[in-house]
Structures are given as C-alpha cells and as structure tokens.
Amino acid sequence: MTTLTDPVEATRPPRAISTQYTLGRDKVLYGGLLVLTAIAYLWGLSKNGYANEYYAAAVQAGSTSWKAWFFGSFDSSSFITVDKTPGSLWVMGLSARIFGFNSWSMLVPQALMGVASVGFVYVSVRRWFSANAGLLAGAILAMTPVAVLMFRFNNPDALLILLLCAGAWAVMRAIDSVKYSARWMILAGALVGFGFLTKMLQAFLILPAFGLAYLVAGKPALGKRLLHLVLATVSLIVSAGWWVAIVELLPASARPYVGGSSDNSILELTLGYNGLGRLSGNESGSVGGGVGNPGWGGATGLQRLFGGEFGSQISWLMPAALLATVVLVVAAGKAPRTNKTRAFALLWGGWLVVTGLVFSYMQGIIHPYYMIALAPAFGAVIGGAMSILWRRRAEWLPRATLAGGALLTAGWSFALLNGTPTWHPWLRWVVLISGVLAAGLVLLLPELKLHRSAARRAGIAAAAVLTFSALAGPTAYSIDTISTAHAGAIPTAGPGGMGGMGGGRGGGGFGGRMGTPPGQTGTGTGTGATGQPGTGGTTTGGGLPGGGVGGFLGGGGTSGVSSELVTLLQNGAKGYTWAAAAVTANGASPLQIASGEPIMAIGGFNGTDPAPSLAEFEQLVAQGKVHYFIGSGGGGMMGGRDGTSSEIATWVSENFTAQTVGSTTVYDLSTGTGA
C-alpha cells in the first residue's frame, strides 16, 4: 500500500560542522531570490508618492518631534495619535530623521522588510526540507499580489509580517533545540509582542499555531515545554505591554489623545475598535459594519476570501495551500511526537487555518490588503509539501496529488484571470494549458524508461512548467501592481475589475465616488465599485451628509492643496501650536504634508473621536494655539459626521468669516467673535 509517510529527519543527513564558507548553488540561488525581490519591491517605488497620507503625516511628525515619534502622533504638536500602535511608524520615522522626510525614506524600509520576510520564509522551509523548497516558498511570498502591494506601501502590515515570519523561524529553532529551546521561545514571544505594537491584536492570530507546534514537537520534557510556553508568554506581555503601560499611566495632559478610542484609552482601542470589535462588528468609532456590506468585506463565510477583491489579492494558491496542509499532516502519519513534518504542519498550517477562518468570519471592518497575513503561510506549506511530493513522485499517490494540485491551481487561476477579461485575455489560456501540460508530465514521466540524465532533464522541465502554471497569474498581477501608482486608505493590487471599492490607484480612498477630504480639490482617481476608474470631482460635503465616508478616506491628496494655501499655512504657523485645524485626519494629512506644519486633526481618523470637545477647541482658539480652520474645497463647510467635529465646524462657521484660498474655504481663527 502506498502512503505519503515522509519523516524529514530520516531523509536529511546531519549537517557537518564547518568553519569554511563556500559559495554553493543554493546560496547563489538564495541570494538571487533576495536580489530579485529587492528589485521588484524598490522598482519605481516613488510612484506611490506618500501612499497612505494618514500614516505619511505621522511619519513626517515623528521625523521632527521625538514625542510625536514615541506616541505615534499624527501631528508634530502631538494632539492625537493614529489609530494603531506606533511600531511601524518608529521604523519609518527614524529613516525620515536620518535621510529627510520623503517618499523614498518612508517606503524603502517597508520594501526591505519585504525582502527580509522572504528571507525568513526561505530559511525556515529550507531548515526542515530543502533549498529548492525554500526557494519556492520564498518566491510565492515575494510574488503574491497583496504582498507586493503592501511591501511597497506605508501601512503597518509590512513590519507585522516580518516580525511574524521571524517569530515562526524562532519557534522552529526552539523545536530543533534542547539546550537553548527556552531562549528561542522567549525570542518568539518578544517578536510577536512587538507585532502587537505594530498592528495590535492581529499579531496574536498566530499564537495558537506557535504554541501548539512547540508543545507537541519540542524536544524537552512536557513540564519544561509548558514552562517555556509560560516564559514565552511573559516575554510577549513585556514586549507588547511596556509601551501600553506608559500610555495608560501617563496623565492625559502629558500625552496626545489616543486616536480611534472613545475614552482616550489605548486599552479601549485594543479591545474595542481595533480588537474584539473587528470580530463582532460592534466597533466604537467604526466607519461601517462588515456584515453584508461589500464596502467593508462583504458577507461572512468560507467563500469570502475567494471572491471579489479578496480573491484577486491572495486566493491564487489558496486551494494548493489547503491541499498542501493536508499533505503535510498525512505525511507525518504515525511518526513520533517530535516529527518535524507534523510540527511544520501545525506551525505554518495552523497559521493559515486560524488566520483564514478569522478573516472569513470576522464581522467588523476588513480590507483586501489584510490578506497579506496569509501569504507567508501559503509559501511555507506549499514549499514543504512540494518537497515531499516531488521526492516521491515515482509513487502513484504523490504523483496523482501533484497532478491534481496542478489542475486545481491552474483552473482557479483561470477563473480569477477571467474576472478581468479585457486584461491580457490570452494569459488565462496560457495558464490553463500549462497546468494541464504540467499535470500530464507529472503523471507520465515516471512511467517512461529514460536514461538517468534524460530523466533528470525531463524532471526539471516538468517542475518548471508546474511552477509556471502556478505562479504566472499572481506574478502577472504583481507586475501590474509594481507598474501602477497606488495611494489612499484602501489600496488593492492588480488591474481593476474584480469588484469592490478598492481605491488602490491614483487618488485612493473610494476612487472619489464618495467625495474628497476638506481643503482638497478632488483630482484623484481610483477603482470604484465596478472596478472602473473613478474621478474625484469637487465636493462640498465629502460625498455623504456631514462629511461621510469620502471625507476621511482621502481623495486628491497633496496634489489638491494649492500653493496659495501652502504659503498661507507656512506663513501663519509662527507663534501657533497648530497652523490650522481640519476635520478628520485624512482631511488634515495632505495639508500637513504639503506645508510641513502641524495640522490639528479634529475627530481623528474618521472624524468621530470626541477630541477635542467644542469647549476644548474654543479654549485653544482663545489661547491663540490654532490659527486657521480649513473648510471644504468647494466653498462649503466640512462638518464631519455627528459629534464634536460637527459642532466645532458649525461654531466656526457662525463666528468667523470665510475666505477662499485657491479653491479652499479657510477661516482665520485669530479674528471674529469666537476668538
């Protein structure tokens, strides 16, 4: 009876201890993978400009103020923080301090994090399988469309993925070790803890996989393994909690308001809007629910990640990854507890399954770019399973599994490419035909009586066709992503047409169909609900009553800020804590980036934070700390949604005289009955 049993330990000779460095084939190919990844991620990087200007403004603030850098403040005067913990801003802010604030200094660290993430996936897979398996795993991560997008962008996801990949590598080192296993687990805990400081509770989705893999397969006795998990947990709490403790213990007057929270608490933000609220949909400060709303993730269920923009971002190899996880579990069979194939399935397959299920069923806000969290696991499990199947391809079951996987992957790629029928229509047929050819070669070649050298060449050809059929689709989407400018709050990879509300191109946000931020002329373009380019247009109310969605998701960006307005803000900043105030952080960000002066973001990210209150704003104006208030780009008043931001906007319009600077309505708060 044929089985897939494949104890990795039995097929791998122990590595000899050597102090001599040699540049072999594997090292050259590994270096080539990293170099090509770096070229892909750095190529034309500046076309993305300031990418997500919400985070770019915070990077700019951190480059001039250490207080703003430490807290992750939106502005250099530290009125309010961004609605995330500041880990990724620390890296980009330090780069901006060293090299000056610009697109390159902000985005290059993100790209290099992507290269390092690919490196960690390679060394992790190679450690227990083979160099070829590591190359495949690294290439899958490198060329996943959403990974290409986010490693060229300034959202927190780049650093999060790097830390989690490094954490998985540390857990594998702990499983391998007896003497130093505790140290490796402590390191893994610290890395995940810093992941929390990057994107909060999302970093913890991999904890069940990390803990279970070590508990099952670690070499020390059970009591020691449990102790090591406790030590790893303590390490996680310390690495994640020190910054949280500082923010919570400091009086509110000594720090900025915690953006995204309803009560100025980082704990409330963690457990609410950015935490459990994302699972239940009950998000304080939420910009919209996730249940049944295609703008925020669509209906929940297993089909979510396969459809719309989610599918085109990540699901190219989803069927292959799920099949690979099953292969790894079956291959371990009844092997001893410490079997590495089983441990690998628990670690990386657990990462895939837990994260995928959470993304599928979470009822709160979820965006397509979140899917980058699945990409490392896809690469790892496929690389590991391919190593096992390819080594045993002479047997009928592994061979049939390889052929079936090739057909399944090519068929799904065909379906995804069919979603953009006018975009290189020939490609989907090439992918499908190559998948059929790869399946045929895998099935037939072992039956042919070929000379050893001929069999080797034929095997290489079959592997090449198999790899091409699997990666051609996502690579084509990735190349399109590299060649296209992306900006705004909700970027998406690949060509438009997969549906949803991407805003990945040009001006970003919702492609202007929901309006533009205050103080901007809507010149940006994006991907609308039908996948067709949208135009920003000029708005007087942000697209929806009271500012609505468009008012905080971005629009024309810095290109919509006139030179006259920049001059006014720069000349009027002297003697003021804030050169101006604007409703929503995304309304304030282009003004702050263009002028280089601190702009108060009333209401935080989406204008609903109760900061400042009307009374507090009146006091700041009376104290001469805010010079201007920025209205809309079309002559009206940008009031934000219900709450203090609307009250402040109304108070300003009733007590101060409006003037038009460029195409923007501006109120001078140093004059008028309210001053």
Side-chain angles (χ1 to χ4, degrees):
M1 179 178 177
T2 304
T3 68
L4 288 180
T5 304
D6 185 75
V8 174
E9 298 90 334
T11 61
R12 208 100 180 294
R15 297 178 183 175
I17 299 176
S18 174
T19 59
Q20 183 177 1
Y21 182 84
T22 58
L23 190 64
R25 166 190 172 275
D26 293 346
K27 293 176 181 177
V28 170
L29 291 177
Y30 176 39
L33 172 66
L34 297 184
V35 169
L36 290 175
T37 301
I39 292 173
Y41 290 174
L42 293 170
W43 187 271
L45 190 59
S46 60
K47 68 165 55 75
N48 287 342
Y50 293 112
N52 188 338
E53 292 182 351
Y54 176 57
Y55 293 120
V59 173
Q60 181 193 54
S63 70
T64 59
S65 165
W66 283 114
K67 180 179 180 180
W69 176 84
F70 179 79
F71 288 107
S73 300
F74 171 82
D75 59 281
S76 59
S77 294
S78 288
F79 167 68
I80 195 169
T81 71
V82 299
D83 61 359
K84 299 287 189 299
T85 37
S88 66
L89 298 176
W90 289 342
V91 179
M92 291 184 285
L94 287 176
S95 176
R97 275 187 172 270
I98 296 170
F99 301 105
F101 174 70
N102 54 62
S103 177
W104 281 100
S105 66
M106 179 177 65
L107 296 181
V108 166
Q110 303 289 92
L112 296 181
M113 290 175 196
V115 176
S117 299
V118 170
F120 272 113
V121 169
Y122 170 88
V123 297
S124 297
V125 176
R126 181 186 183 277
R127 184 171 189 84
W128 286 356
F129 293 96
S130 67
N132 288 337
L135 286 171
L136 177 61
I140 289 173
L141 171 57
M143 284 292 102
T144 298
V146 69
V148 173
L149 173 71
M150 298 314 294
F151 287 133
R152 294 168 54 86
F153 215 70
N154 61 341
N155 281 22
D157 303 76
L159 180 59
L160 175 67
I161 296 305
L162 172 59
L163 291 169
L164 297 187
C165 288
W169 168 78
V171 173
M172 292 178 68
R173 295 296 303 266
I175 292 173
D176 267 340
S177 177
V178 176
K179 185 177 180 181
Y180 299 112
S181 54
R183 299 182 187 180
W184 287 114
M185 289 304 296
I186 290 172
L187 175 60
L191 290 167
V192 176
F194 275 99
F196 172 86
L197 292 182
T198 300
K199 209 177 178 188
M200 308 188 85
L201 291 184
Q202 185 182 333
F204 293 170
L205 293 180
I206 48 76
L207 288 179
F210 282 19
L212 186 60
Y214 182 73
L215 185 62
V216 169
K219 287 184 171 62
L222 177 60
K224 288 188 176 181
R225 296 200 304 276
L226 291 172
L227 176 60
H228 296 167
L229 288 177
V230 171
L231 293 176
T233 302
V234 172
S235 174
L236 183 152
I237 293 172
V238 171
S239 61
W242 66 272
W243 183 86
V244 173
I246 292 174
V247 174
E248 284 295 303
L249 294 175
L250 279 175
S253 59
R255 58 169 175 80
Y257 184 93
V258 177
S261 71
S262 59
D263 61 359
N264 199 11
S265 167
I266 188 66
L267 292 178
E268 191 272 338
L269 177 64
T270 300
L271 299 176
Y273 175 57
N274 274 338
L276 301 180
R278 295 288 173 121
L279 300 178
S280 66
N282 298 319
E283 296 161 292
S284 174
S286 173
V287 296
V291 181
N293 186 337
W296 304 108
T300 59
L302 294 176
Q303 78 285 353
R304 171 188 272 180
L305 304 189
F306 291 91
E309 290 177 348
F310 290 92
S312 65
Q313 304 303 291
I314 190 64
S315 74
W316 302 87
L317 297 176
M318 180 85 78
L322 294 174
L323 177 61
T325 302
V326 174
V327 167
L328 290 168
V329 172
V330 173
K334 297 181 180 180
R337 175 183 64 81
T338 56
N339 176 263
K340 293 178 182 178
T341 301
R342 183 189 297 112
F344 194 85
L346 291 173
L347 179 61
W348 293 99
W351 176 336
L352 186 160
V353 171
V354 173
T355 303
L357 288 176
V358 170
F359 284 171
S360 295
Y361 286 98
M362 61 187 287
Q363 299 181 48
I365 296 172
I366 180 173
H367 299 308
Y369 66 81
Y370 291 6
M371 299 304 106
I372 188 178
L374 292 168
F378 279 19
V381 296
I382 292 174
M386 278 294 295
S387 177
I388 293 173
L389 294 174
W390 191 256
R391 191 182 308 123
R392 302 177 68 94
R393 65 189 182 278
E395 303 171 19
W396 73 266
L397 182 56
R399 190 161 76 242
T401 304
L402 274 174
L407 293 175
L408 185 64
T409 301
W412 182 241
S413 292
F414 180 89
L416 289 174
L417 290 168
N418 206 40
T420 52
T422 60
W423 184 78
H424 302 309
W426 53 269
L427 180 60
R428 61 183 183 273
W429 294 106
V430 171
V431 169
L432 185 62
I433 293 171
S434 64
V436 173
L437 178 60
L441 290 173
V442 168
L443 287 173
L444 294 177
L445 284 181
E447 302 297 330
L448 301 178
K449 304 301 181 181
L450 299 176
H451 187 271
R452 183 174 181 179
S453 60
R456 183 176 180 274
R457 289 193 296 269
I460 293 174
V465 175
L466 185 64
T467 302
F468 174 84
S469 67
L471 297 184
T475 299
Y477 260 57
S478 294
I479 292 173
D480 181 89
T481 302
I482 293 169
S483 62
T484 307
H486 291 79
I490 312 177
T492 54
M498 293 303 291
M501 307 168 75
R505 297 164 181 261
F510 280 148
R513 87 180 191 89
M514 300 294 233
T516 54
Q520 296 182 40
T521 301
T523 59
T525 61
T527 305
T530 63
Q532 301 302 317
T535 56
T538 300
T539 180
T540 60
L544 290 177
V549 178
F552 60 83
L553 283 182
T558 56
S559 63
V561 182
S562 66
S563 59
E564 296 91 343
L565 183 55
V566 170
T567 300
L568 179 74
L569 294 174
Q570 291 175 338
N571 292 340
K574 187 176 181 181
Y576 290 87
T577 306
W578 294 275
V583 175
T584 80
N586 279 287
S589 57
L591 306 173
Q592 180 167 297
I593 294 170
S595 67
E597 304 296 341
I599 307 295
M600 176 184 288
I602 295 174
F605 176 71
N606 60 8
T608 60
D609 293 352
S613 66
L614 176 58
E616 290 169 338
F617 188 75
E618 290 178 356
Q619 184 179 16
L620 291 172
V621 171
Q623 294 171 347
K625 293 187 176 182
V626 186
H627 197 166
Y628 298 106
F629 183 91
I630 308 300
S632 73
M637 169 61 65
M638 173 59 70
R641 300 201 291 181
D642 294 340
T644 61
S645 59
S646 180
E647 294 174 355
I648 291 170
T650 300
W651 176 76
V652 170
S653 65
E654 291 175 350
N655 291 278
F656 298 89
T657 302
Q659 60 178 307
T660 301
V661 180
S663 60
T664 303
T665 301
V666 179
Y667 296 82
D668 188 343
L669 302 183
S670 64
T671 62
T673 58

